[in-house]
């Protein structure tokens, strides 16, 4: 069973950048499909980026071209590089992992993930 801990959130001005990290323990991320989700106040949690153990990625349209998901297997860590941040990116960001493969678009589906971190807050001011 994998445990996930996010870090790297904070406050930034519009147009700025942040890099989130998700440190895994208890198991290697090579055994998991992983993704980043976010939840803004009053809104449902949404998938924004997913990655397979082989490195195939998928992004939500809202972040495509601005965010990059990556993984460092030696550090057992998942990353989310966020550039050109907008106020609408303000949310709690969560990483998630699961061992069950479905289809690539399912990496953005909240129902497909069993393991979750506690979240890290990102606030973007205009």
């Amino acid at each position: 069973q994998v445990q996930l801990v996010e870090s790297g959130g904070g406050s930034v001005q519009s147009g700025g950048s942040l890099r989130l990290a998700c440190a895994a323990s208890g198991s290697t991320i090579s055994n998991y499909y992983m993704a980043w989700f976010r939840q803004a106040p009053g809104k449902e949690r949404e998938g924004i980026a997913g990655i397979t153990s082989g490195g195939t990625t998928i992004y939500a349209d809202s972040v495509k071209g601005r965010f990059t998901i990556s993984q460092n297997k030696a550090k057992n860590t998942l990353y989310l590089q966020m550039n050109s941040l907008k106020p609408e990116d303000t949310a709690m960001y969560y990483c998630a992992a699961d061992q069950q493969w479905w289809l690539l678009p399912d990496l953005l589906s909240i129902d497909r993930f069993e393991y979750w971190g506690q979240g890290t807050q990102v606030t973007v001011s205009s």
Side-chain angles (χ1 to χ4, degrees):
Q1 178 171 330
V2 67
Q3 292 83 46
L4 305 171
V5 178
E6 301 94 336
S7 62
S11 297
V12 64
Q13 289 191 328
S14 182
S17 299
L18 284 174
R19 188 176 79 154
L20 305 183
C22 172
S25 60
S27 186
T28 174
I29 63 173
S30 297
N31 296 332
Y32 293 83
Y33 303 98
M34 302 193 74
W36 287 97
F37 290 76
R38 68 184 182 187
Q39 187 168 18
K43 295 188 176 181
E44 294 185 351
R45 192 171 299 190
E46 61 170 344
I48 56 172
I51 188 168
T52 70
S53 59
T56 301
T57 59
I58 185 170
Y59 296 92
D61 289 343
S62 58
V63 306
K64 197 174 297 182
R66 300 188 297 123
F67 291 10
T68 303
I69 187 172
S70 63
Q71 55 193 356
N72 185 322
K73 294 180 180 180
K75 294 186 176 181
N76 217 30
T77 300
L78 178 74
Y79 298 100
L80 184 69
Q81 178 66 43
M82 305 187 294
N83 299 328
S84 302
L85 282 162
K86 305 174 182 179
E88 51 263 45
D89 294 318
T90 295
M92 186 72 79
Y93 284 70
Y94 301 88
C95 67
D98 201 90
Q99 292 184 296
Q100 176 68 49
W101 172 251
W102 300 88
L103 298 171
L104 189 60
D106 290 312
L107 290 180
L108 301 183
S109 174
I110 187 173
D111 295 334
R112 299 305 189 200
F113 287 88
E114 180 176 1
Y115 304 104
W116 293 84
Q118 83 291 346
T120 186
Q121 177 68 37
V122 171
T123 302
V124 185
S125 58
S126 57

